[in-house]
Amino acid sequence: MSEWQKSACILCECNCGIEVQVDDRHLLKIRGDKSHPGSEGYTCEKPLRLDRYQNGTARLTSPLRRRPDGTYEEISWDTAIREIASRLTAIRDEHGGDKIFFYGGGGQGNHLGATYGQSLQAALGAKYRSNALAQEKTGEMYVDGRLYGGHTKGDFEHAEVVVFIGKNPWQSHSFPRTRPVLKEMAADPHRCMVVLDPRRSETAAMADIHLQVKPGTDAWCIAALVGVLVQEDLVDHDFIERHTTGALPVLAAFADVDIAGYATRCGVPEELIRTTARRIAAAQSVCTYEDLGTQQAPHSTLNSYMQKMLWILTGNFAKQGGMFLHSTFAPIAGAAPGGASSHRPRSPLQRALAGLQAAAVDSVGAAAVRVPAFLPDVVAVPLAVRLRGPVAAVANGPTRTAGPPRSPAADRRTPVTGARIIAGLVPCNSIAEECLGNHPDRMRALWIDSVNPAHSLADSESFRRAMRAVELSVVIDIAMTETAQQADYVLPASTQFEKWECTFFNVDFPTNVFHLRRPMMPPLPGTLPEPEIYARLLRELHPVDEKVLAPLRRAARKGRTQFAIAFFAAVAAEPRLMGLAGYLLHETLGEVLPEGARGTASLWGISQLCTMSNPAATARAGFTGSGFEPGNALFDRILTGEAVAFTVDDYADAWSYTRRPDKRFTLEIPELLEHLRALKTAESSWTTEEFPMVLSAGERRAFTANTIIRDPSWRRRDAQGALRICPEDAAAYGVETGDSLRVVTEKGAAVAVVEVTDQMQAGHISLPNGLGVGHADGTPGVAPNELTSLHHKDFLAGTPWHKYVPARLEPVG
């Protein structure tokens, strides 16, 4: 038996630390890693079955090229790289690099390759990209950017009151030690758990207060809650006066909310809403968590805005048990003020470089460049000149300088549908339409990395048509997914346990953690890690001359300090190299890293800029010294393969991450206040006589995660992914648990096994996520996005209404 090796779970954004024993390429035994500073030995049941990911489906072991008849043939890596580079170049030269669309860049655990994938985007001049965040979180990102310029999280372990909005953390987790924390909260009579959810979920069943809204009416319930705070004068006036701007129009809008009328609209008793608001106002600490239940439903962005008023107007920020802004090791999304992205794709290193300027602002609102004082003049002077200009994003949300929020007219839009781009991401519901039709600016190529959009995005058939319509489609993955089956080329990647890998979901506070995971076994023959795939393709494209690379290679052999000076000087002298930073580091510093670790080279640059941007917080984490010493020390610590606390803060330090020169929250967002006022007369139901029920497509359950586990045998319960229905509706349709019904929507139909449960209310049905994927042992369950549509989406962010799909039920047979 092999020794225990440290790694992490890859099934949700928590990425809990685990220890694994490997035998003959199998993950034989798995347990929680007690030394992990974030998860502290905790895991749910899901990572115990990670061998289903590693060995539960047929692996790709050779590049594949699609034949004219739709079948595939194996080709060599050299042939694949040469042909793909040639075809990408031809599309760029004829139509422009902005017609090459990039989707993905890593799932829940494999983000390292994205630092090199964005170098490919820069080399080609690509401008448009997206990933799963654009069908989930971009509405919240937009709000975060306009309010304070960064991502917020809650101190759930210590909060007196926790409000979960469209969130079932018992199954979806999302914060450390989720289940123990929930149990502790439920058992403490002095604490209060509030759940706003149309379903009586596992978390709602534990809650002190369940606001069981009618499906799709979250906005009226949240507006009523905030309305009570304002109308009963339960707000924290001192906090509002000292820490916010633009509060008066916000308070006026909520003062005008019809509490009783909105309670009727959402189906929650008025007195329960008032009781909940008063409990929030009376608490010493409050934090909130919104998730897909409301983010993929009507009024998504408005709900994000209003729910943040619950903790802002009550002063629950920068204290134990409240909300906080936090450091980031490397941002997973970025955008300019007010949610408008810059035009060029930005690598994590590039965004971090730009972040060095986000400091003081003069009286006219121009950003003052802040370059570390220890950089030699040969680097500092040209770097300062190159960085001068609008402040770029450095967090999981938009950033801005002083002055009023940018108007929506300044936002960047997609070329075909005119969809708003937020945090640099094209809305997922717009991607297919950006490829189809005869628009002169339509997308001509799709590059898809480690994701399965032909299964995960709304109206899957439209995405399949888009892949067939473009001139080139390339997929990187470990298996022949539903998306890979449509591609012109399929490139086989190594699994997350066969290569160095990491995640940039680093959102903890006051101690923030990053974990670079060592490979636990060699790559399967014929596969390559994504950094090597991108490096080979970039070498074929020749984006950087040897006269640039050679001096950096020489400097790398002399030592890290000499390399740092040479690297920053090169970037300062030739700013286009910023976009190619990942590739630049792979080809130079990567050559002197330990054997097999070349793909980690991009993390050296991020480590340097993390310590430069957060000197006090990284010093408190133990990374001290002068010049480049802290960044080098952080990188060396990361290379050990164990989780690293890279910043340490106190609660008051959360204010330092407020990306406003005055460190205040900018509360007024006129576009959203207009929609808040419009709730008075807005419709609150989108069902019809033809489709009288509401389907929630993609519910999280105990044995669903995402489609990287395709092996159906891992589901010990609910193997068929049952259609959940309430007893009243089951009686109306004459079915019992184990029977079948046909679910019909405007986009399609599917037969599902029924589970009768009191979790659901009348007229509301649900199907789980992660089902309906092909496997040699069968394809159980329903692929939910065969039933969802593109046009049901948020007015601002374009996020889909996966949790509100008008549907009907029919008997089978």
Side-chain angles (χ1 to χ4, degrees):
M1 185 72 66
S2 67
E3 63 183 19
W4 290 97
Q5 301 182 57
K6 292 184 183 295
S7 189
C9 177
I10 58 174
L11 298 180
C12 88
E13 71 270 31
C14 288
N15 300 115
C16 295
I18 57 175
E19 293 183 314
V20 182
Q21 285 186 331
V22 178
D23 184 43
D24 190 26
R25 304 187 67 86
H26 282 270
L27 312 185
L28 200 62
K29 292 185 177 181
I30 301 173
R31 67 187 185 191
D33 178 9
K34 294 181 180 179
S35 69
H36 191 283
S39 55
E40 300 176 349
Y42 170 77
T43 64
C44 68
E45 71 270 22
K46 294 179 183 180
L48 305 181
R49 294 163 186 83
L50 278 168
D51 191 60
R52 305 288 187 186
Y53 158 76
Q54 175 66 31
N55 295 294
T57 193
R59 293 282 301 281
L60 297 171
T61 57
S62 171
L64 301 176
R65 179 175 58 200
R66 190 181 187 89
R67 297 187 181 103
D69 65 359
T71 61
Y72 287 89
E73 59 184 334
E74 294 186 355
I75 57 176
S76 69
W77 273 106
D78 288 345
T79 299
I81 295 298
R82 183 176 62 253
E83 290 184 3
I84 292 170
S86 175
R87 293 181 66 175
L88 287 171
T89 300
I91 292 170
R92 179 194 63 191
D93 293 347
E94 181 176 356
H95 302 291
D98 62 333
K99 308 306 185 301
I100 303 171
F101 192 92
F102 282 74
Y103 186 81
Q108 296 286 29
N110 57 322
H111 292 171
L112 184 57
T115 64
Y116 301 101
Q118 291 184 3
S119 291
L120 176 60
Q121 296 173 50
L124 293 170
K127 293 182 180 179
Y128 299 102
R129 64 186 178 92
S130 195
N131 59 40
L133 291 173
Q135 66 168 350
E136 301 172 353
K137 302 295 181 182
T138 41
E140 185 180 12
M141 288 178 178
Y142 179 86
V143 172
D144 283 340
R146 299 295 291 266
L147 289 175
Y148 31 66
H151 177 259
T152 52
K153 201 74 179 283
D155 181 11
F156 303 101
E157 186 167 0
H158 301 105
E160 181 180 335
V161 173
V162 170
V163 184
F164 295 119
I165 300 174
K167 174 72 176 172
N168 181 19
W170 186 262
Q171 298 294 11
S172 61
H173 305 291
S174 301
F175 53 89
R177 300 179 55 253
T178 302
R179 290 186 175 179
V181 169
L182 291 174
K183 290 178 180 178
E184 291 163 7
M185 190 181 308
D188 190 337
H190 302 293
R191 302 176 70 185
C192 179
M193 187 192 310
V194 179
V195 173
L196 193 159
D197 198 317
R199 189 169 63 90
R200 190 173 182 273
S201 66
E202 291 85 352
T203 308
M206 302 172 68
D208 300 281
I209 299 173
H210 180 199
L211 303 172
Q212 191 170 16
V213 295
K214 299 174 185 175
T217 64
D218 313 69
W220 286 270
C221 187
I222 301 170
L225 286 170
V226 183
V228 173
L229 294 176
V230 173
Q231 294 173 27
E232 295 189 7
D233 196 21
L234 302 175
V235 301
D236 186 333
H237 292 284
D238 181 62
F239 183 92
I240 294 170
E241 174 67 24
R242 293 173 55 212
H243 296 299
T244 74
T245 60
L248 287 180
V250 176
L251 295 172
F254 284 106
D256 195 39
V257 166
D258 176 7
I259 308 296
Y262 283 22
T264 300
R265 294 284 289 274
C266 70
V268 178
E270 177 186 355
E271 191 54 37
L272 183 58
I273 290 176
R274 291 187 181 276
T275 298
T276 304
R278 292 165 187 159
R279 183 67 180 89
I280 291 170
Q284 293 298 308
S285 59
V286 177
C287 58
T288 67
Y289 202 123
E290 63 170 274
D291 210 352
L292 306 192
T294 187
Q295 291 173 338
Q296 294 187 332
H299 300 292
S300 168
T301 305
L302 176 61
N303 289 335
S304 294
Y305 180 50
M306 294 192 298
Q307 73 90 358
K308 292 174 191 296
M309 294 303 123
L310 291 172
W311 58 264
I312 292 175
L313 296 182
T314 53
N316 283 287
F317 180 75
K319 65 180 183 181
Q320 188 178 58
M323 302 294 291
F324 51 80
L325 288 150
H326 54 82
S327 65
T328 55
F329 181 66
I332 58 174
S341 170
S342 62
H343 279 236
R344 178 172 295 181
R346 307 175 67 81
S347 69
L349 176 57
Q350 181 185 1
R351 292 196 293 272
L353 271 170
L356 293 176
Q357 65 182 308
V361 174
D362 63 24
S363 59
V364 297
V369 176
R370 176 166 60 94
V371 176
F374 64 79
L375 287 176
D377 287 345
V378 67
V379 177
V381 173
L383 185 60
V385 172
R386 298 301 185 188
L387 289 178
R388 191 169 289 122
V391 177
V394 293
N396 188 16
T399 305
R400 61 178 295 274
T401 58
R406 294 181 62 178
S407 73
D411 292 340
R412 184 179 167 223
R413 303 280 177 159
T414 61
V416 176
T417 66
R420 191 192 308 248
I421 296 174
I422 298 174
L425 303 176
V426 171
C428 292
N429 270 36
S430 299
I431 297 172
E433 294 176 281
E434 298 292 331
C435 302
L436 297 167
N438 296 312
H439 194 287
D441 291 327
R442 69 187 181 276
M443 297 298 127
R444 306 291 182 137
L446 286 169
W447 185 278
I448 302 170
D449 183 350
S450 303
V451 284
N452 191 9
H455 182 275
S456 63
L457 300 191
D459 188 1
S460 297
E461 172 54 28
S462 69
F463 195 87
R464 293 192 288 268
R465 286 191 287 111
M467 291 190 71
R468 294 191 292 266
V470 295
E471 297 170 22
L472 173 67
S473 58
V474 181
V475 167
I476 299 174
D477 215 309
I478 69 167
M480 200 65 174
T481 65
E482 288 68 27
T483 304
Q485 292 167 25
Q486 305 295 321
D488 296 312
Y489 292 88
V490 185
L491 303 180
S494 308
T495 72
Q496 295 191 42
F497 301 114
E498 298 171 353
K499 62 192 176 190
W500 291 89
E501 197 47 276
C502 66
T503 172
F504 297 134
F505 291 133
N506 317 117
V507 298
D508 294 319
F509 187 93
T511 299
N512 209 350
V513 177
F514 176 74
H515 190 183
L516 175 67
R517 314 185 303 269
R518 285 180 170 272
M520 295 191 293
M521 65 191 79
L524 191 69
T527 71
L528 291 176
E530 288 91 340
E532 179 61 23
I533 294 174
Y534 285 111
R536 292 189 183 191
L537 189 56
L538 284 159
R539 289 172 199 148
E540 189 73 19
L541 294 171
H542 304 294
V544 181
D545 194 273
E546 182 60 28
K547 69 181 181 181
V548 174
L549 296 174
L552 292 176
R553 290 192 181 105
R554 290 195 296 270
R557 289 192 289 270
K558 293 178 181 178
R560 296 272 177 80
T561 298
Q562 291 88 338
F563 177 79
I565 294 171
F567 173 79
F568 283 106
V571 168
E574 193 172 352
R576 77 174 186 89
L577 296 179
M578 278 183 159
L580 296 163
Y583 174 67
L584 213 63
L585 291 169
H586 184 277
E587 297 299 279
T588 58
L589 179 65
E591 291 186 349
V592 300
L593 293 179
E595 183 178 359
R598 188 172 186 173
T600 68
S602 60
L603 300 181
W604 172 85
I606 297 172
S607 297
Q608 289 293 343
L609 291 157
C610 178
T611 55
M612 291 179 193
S613 301
N614 306 283
T618 52
R620 286 191 290 267
F623 304 106
T624 58
S626 60
F628 298 105
E629 291 175 353
N632 286 334
L634 176 56
F635 181 59
D636 288 338
R637 178 68 178 80
I638 285 169
L639 283 177
T640 64
E642 296 194 24
V644 179
F646 65 92
T647 55
V648 175
D649 287 299
D650 199 352
Y651 289 98
D653 295 320
W655 286 110
S656 68
Y657 297 110
T658 307
R659 290 182 173 85
R660 297 289 186 274
D662 59 6
K663 300 301 180 185
R664 287 173 173 260
F665 294 176
T666 306
L667 297 194
E668 184 183 9
I669 304 179
E671 189 170 11
L672 295 178
L673 287 177
E674 178 184 344
H675 279 262
L676 166 59
R677 289 188 287 267
L679 289 178
K680 289 181 180 180
T681 56
E683 61 181 327
S684 56
S685 175
W686 296 266
T687 57
T688 64
E689 187 174 331
E690 182 181 10
F691 300 111
M693 307 194 80
V694 175
L695 166 68
S696 289
E699 178 194 336
R700 289 281 185 92
R701 298 182 188 171
F703 286 89
T704 63
N706 47 52
T707 60
I708 66 170
I709 295 187
R710 304 175 67 84
D711 180 358
S713 67
W714 91 290
R715 299 183 184 93
R716 299 197 313 187
R717 298 195 300 273
D718 190 27
Q720 295 298 316
L723 174 75
R724 286 182 169 167
I725 183 172
C726 76
E728 179 183 342
D729 286 335
Y733 285 93
V735 294
E736 299 178 347
T737 295
D739 294 338
S740 295
L741 283 171
R742 178 177 290 104
V743 187
V744 184
T745 71
E746 65 179 57
K747 293 307 301 182
V751 175
V753 174
V754 167
E755 177 190 340
V756 182
T757 172
D758 61 4
Q759 286 193 4
M760 311 304 295
Q761 57 181 284
H764 188 203
I765 55 178
S766 74
L767 286 167
N769 68 318
L771 277 291
V773 295
H775 189 273
D777 295 338
T779 305
V782 174
N785 285 305
E786 301 296 330
L787 304 175
T788 57
S789 68
L790 296 180
H791 73 271
H792 285 304
K793 58 187 177 182
D794 185 69
F795 85 98
L796 190 149
T799 44
W801 290 10
H802 286 337
K803 310 305 181 189
Y804 193 106
V805 182
R808 70 172 181 267
L809 297 176
E810 297 177 348
V812 176

